[in-house]
Amino acid sequence: MSEHGPIVIVGTGLAGYSLARELRKLDKDTPVILVSADDGVSYSKPMLSTGFTKGKDADGLAQADVDAMQAQLGIEIRPHTQVTGIDVDARQLQLADGALSYGRLVLACGADVLRLDIPGDGGDRVFSINDLGDYRRFRDTLGEGRRVAIMGAGLIGCEFANDLRNGGIEVDVIAPCDALMPGLLPDAAANAVQRALTDLGVRFHLGEVVERIDRADDGVCLSLSDGSTLDADLVVSAIGLRPRTALAADAGLAVNRGIQVNRALETSAPDVYALGDCAEVDGHVLLYVLPLMACARALAKTLTGERTEVSYGVMPVMIKTPCCPTAAYPPPADAAGDWQTDADGNSVRARFVSPDGELLGFAVTGDFAVEKQALAKEVPPLHG
Ligand SMILES: Cc1cc2nc3c(=O)[nH]c(=O)nc-3n(C[C@H](O)[C@H](O)[C@H](O)COP(=O)(O)OP(=O)(O)OC[C@H]3O[C@@H](n4cnc5c(N)ncnc54)[C@H](O)[C@@H]3O)c2cc1C
């Protein structure tokens, strides 16, 4: 392993900053440089879908600027600096304004939002919210607007629906699926969340897609596949994310759904590592905070001399729909078994049980959500 040159981390999201923090717990001296395409402001991305509920705009959600992070962690940060290429033989990053040599390189460059090319002239009123800058633009443009249409009924679409309603905004959710959060929640739990959000005033248009978005006098008019139309001030597109792999792929690194790394977070190139939303760790792409924190702890040890593999354990996903608190730990996609469900109104306990009686996954909503810790002790970890 080359010890020469700084540890360079691409990205100042939760993955990049968590790794820098873990590194500094173990080693105060090795030079660490973070390079980021954005402004480097530290924030907690999950809080973006709680802004209205907590009464915070983009400034309120910002935690620390670049100067504060540099001082706090004893690192160098280069904001507004796009990495355009990696030369793994020369151990160099290509930047818009020159080159940067590294001893060890960590890719923490996140995920791209999926975008639909929808006909109509209303495209500039469609917002994807995947970082603090996106959130700022959305809030600034919404201004006093009071009607938002959300495309997508996954975790992020549902969280924004709850949060915007808490802010007194009229919300329509349009999605092609028949039930909320497919892949994450079984139908019984999804229906409970949908009922609670409906009671809160969210209007759902499931089984539909948006076919056109046209400018209207004071906003946009969306044309849906059932022939209906609806008006909104703005549209939030929350149809999914894809790990950012182009930089790694162009440099010849192995890439599948994400940048492929083993459990020691090593890519196919020497002294190049990846973690966070951009990484596919031992076959798993997990776009959540707990996995990246576990990766940051393991990688900090590796980078300070003790090669360490990450262990994921059991990490239920908490869904921030306060009108119906929900937690889920989906079973493996290919697992044999059945969902067994108890329900009391919008409180649902769904357990996925194998033919030999083993609990492989669960979803709990409403009053049963408090059982998540107890259930988490019964299911097998993602890997030991
Ligand atoms: C609204 C919302 C709510 C969420 N809620 C939850 C939740 O409740 N619980 C949970 O576990 N997870 C949640 N998540 C997911 C979680 O926030 C992410 O998994 C996590 O923040 C990803 O962090 P990251 O550092 O990998 O990526 P990012 O935060 O996307 O950071 C990527 C960084 O890389 C930089 N970058 C990218 N390309 C380049 C380049 N070429 N050159 C230089 N810099 C580059 C970017 O500028 C950025 O600084 C939520 C996500 C969203 C959007």
Side-chain angles (χ1 to χ4, degrees), residues 11-15 36-38 45 82-83 109-110 277 287-289 320:
T12 52
L14 283 171
S36 182
D38 61 43
K45 192 182 288 197
Q82 180 91 23
V83 177
C109 51
D277 279 5
L287 308 182
Y288 299 108
V289 175
K320 299 187 295 298

Side-chain angles (χ1 to χ4, degrees), residues 256-337:
N256 186 34
R257 284 184 301 147
I259 302 169
Q260 284 182 295
V261 294
N262 57 20
R263 283 171 58 173
L265 292 322
E266 295 159 333
T267 68
S268 58
D271 293 330
V272 183
Y273 306 81
L275 83 166
D277 279 5
C278 64
E280 178 176 326
V281 182
D282 191 25
H284 298 286
V285 174
L286 298 172
L287 308 182
Y288 299 108
V289 175
L290 289 181
L292 73 79
M293 305 282 272
C295 288
R297 285 190 293 273
L299 185 51
K301 286 190 188 159
T302 297
L303 293 172
T304 52
E306 184 191 339
R307 186 178 182 280
T308 303
E309 297 196 336
V310 67
S311 283
Y312 275 152
V314 175
M315 297 175 294
V317 178
M318 315 297 179
I319 297 137
K320 299 187 295 298
T321 44
C323 69
C324 185
T326 299
Y329 185 71
D334 54 357

Side-chain angles (χ1 to χ4, degrees), residues 199-219:
D199 289 346
L200 197 66
V202 177
R203 295 182 291 257
F204 284 96
H205 309 263
L206 299 185
E208 305 298 335
V209 294
V210 177
E211 293 190 331
R212 289 190 65 83
I213 303 176
D214 291 297
R215 286 303 291 258
D217 290 346
D218 51 352

Side-chain angles (χ1 to χ4, degrees), residues 230-254:
L230 63 90
D231 296 323
D233 296 306
L234 291 186
V235 180
V236 169
S237 175
I239 58 163
L241 295 164
R242 184 192 295 125
R244 276 192 190 109
T245 55
L247 200 56
D250 290 350
L253 273 59

